[in-house]
Amino acid sequence: MSETVQPLVRQAYPPPAHHPTPHSGRNSVPGRVKADLEGVPETALWTLHHRAAESARPDTVLPDPRAVQLVTEIEFPFQERLGAARPWLAQALALRALGFDGVVRAFLADRPDGTVVALGEGLETQFWRVDNGRAQWVTVDLDAPLALRRRLLPHGERQRLVACDARDSQWMAGIDPSRGVLVTAQGLLMYLQPDQVTRLIAACAGAFPGGTMVFDTVSRRFSARTRARAKGPGGHRLPPMPWGMDAADRDQLRQAHPAISEVSEVPFPVGRGFLGHLAPRAASVPLLRTDRPLITRLRFGAAPASLTGQP
């Protein structure tokens, strides 16, 4: 891979491989790559576990053969650590991914040479589902999950991996906004503090005029449950999620930066069965209207002259 490495990358990784590199160790499984992720980074494995389970179904809502392959190439006790993949939860996470896919495809239809920046991408395989053959793709993640991603997934010359905390705006260096920029944050912002979320959104709005940002959130009630260490969907105890947002809070996002010109909801796609029928209609169900996960899209206009220093 021909890859530009920015100065902020704190450590060098071995060259990317197109096949998993066997991990040597007394307890390792030959031919598999050992995954040593804990805390929030481990949620990348939890999401992959469910996405692969959904994709393996003959009636799947999200064909993702690369995800199915990944779980066979990783040495990790998925069942013991994460529990069995519940079909309803697997579909829900797949529908979330499908909602993000739709936003990316729409962006690339409008800006085919644009740049997609995936914050905290983990082991998401979205690039291979939506790539148009022209887009630039930037993955921003912490050292450990990025190193695992590099060993497991092939990356070409249009893909760049940046080892950086998403809250550190240095990852924005070298990204050209002139061809269009879409920043995605799937399964990330809920693990940040509210003020950190506001600063990140503001930084993106200021750095990428004319760009777009899309992210998902959990409700305030669900955020409180995780902070109380209650078990989440499927019985697995997820890390605390400090930031929650209800649908009524969405318009407050405009206050993060004057360049935010549009705040809108991205409906979940239609899926399979009762859950799949309900997903895109949750906003009209009284019990779910406020206490539900959301996908939100922000559009950025040009910053006011008073903020850019221009007359």
Side-chain angles (χ1 to χ4, degrees):
M1 163 184 159
S2 172
E3 184 175 281
T4 303
V5 180
Q6 294 184 1
L8 58 95
V9 178
R10 296 186 291 277
Q11 70 180 80
Y13 299 120
H18 287 266
H19 300 286
T21 302
H23 177 90
S24 60
R26 184 174 59 185
N27 298 319
S28 66
V29 178
R32 292 189 181 182
V33 175
K34 189 172 183 179
D36 292 316
L37 300 181
E38 297 180 348
V40 174
E42 188 189 66
T43 61
L45 295 165
W46 182 77
T47 304
L48 173 66
H49 179 43
H50 287 85
R51 197 169 70 250
E54 168 61 32
S55 182
R57 294 178 59 107
D59 57 351
T60 183
V61 299
L62 184 74
D64 194 346
R66 194 170 290 271
V68 176
Q69 180 182 354
L70 276 182
V71 296
T72 69
E73 297 174 343
I74 297 173
E75 183 185 342
F76 182 81
F78 286 97
Q79 294 279 347
E80 293 82 354
R81 290 269 289 274
L82 307 178
R86 309 275 180 105
W88 67 270
L89 179 56
Q91 184 184 184
L93 290 170
L95 290 175
R96 180 184 73 173
L98 196 60
F100 275 78
D101 285 1
V103 174
V104 177
R105 287 193 178 100
F107 167 74
L108 293 180
D110 185 53
R111 309 297 292 270
D113 297 308
T115 298
V116 177
V117 183
L119 301 180
E121 192 168 26
L123 295 174
E124 172 59 67
T125 50
Q126 183 178 62
F127 174 83
W128 292 275
R129 298 195 302 266
V130 303
D131 180 39
N132 66 351
R134 295 167 59 179
Q136 300 296 312
W137 199 278
V138 181
T139 297
V140 179
D141 216 329
L142 300 174
D143 289 341
L146 196 71
L148 182 61
R149 181 180 180 86
R150 185 187 291 266
R151 295 182 67 194
L152 286 163
L153 292 168
H155 290 86
E157 61 181 7
R158 291 183 292 106
Q159 295 165 273
R160 184 153 54 95
L161 308 180
V162 179
C164 184
D165 190 312
R167 295 168 293 187
D168 185 343
S169 61
Q170 291 184 70
W171 61 261
M172 299 177 182
I175 296 177
D176 180 8
S178 64
R179 294 186 176 183
V181 174
L182 168 63
V183 179
T184 72
Q186 185 177 176
L188 173 66
L189 298 192
M190 62 281 292
Y191 295 109
L192 306 184
Q193 295 295 330
D195 61 325
Q196 295 171 339
V197 173
T198 300
R199 287 197 296 269
L200 176 57
I201 291 174
C204 290
F208 307 123
T212 304
M213 184 174 187
V214 60
F215 54 87
D216 64 305
T217 54
V218 297
S219 67
R220 288 178 176 269
R221 182 179 177 183
F222 190 83
S223 168
R225 286 188 62 197
T226 65
R227 286 182 278 118
R229 303 301 293 162
K231 289 186 177 181
H236 178 62
R237 185 171 280 107
L238 293 167
M241 300 179 183
W243 185 52
M245 184 183 79
D246 294 337
D249 305 326
R250 186 185 285 112
D251 280 345
Q252 297 177 19
L253 295 171
R254 294 180 182 273
Q255 300 173 16
H257 196 279
I260 297 175
S261 59
E262 180 184 323
V263 179
S264 60
E265 179 171 356
V266 177
F268 278 69
V270 177
R272 178 186 62 248
F274 177 75
L275 172 65
H277 175 80
L278 183 64
R281 300 170 176 82
S284 62
V285 179
L287 292 177
L288 300 177
R289 190 169 296 143
T290 56
D291 188 16
R292 60 190 172 93
L294 303 170
I295 303 177
T296 298
R297 174 168 43 204
L298 307 179
R299 297 189 189 276
F300 308 140
S306 60
L307 295 181
T308 62
Q310 299 177 359

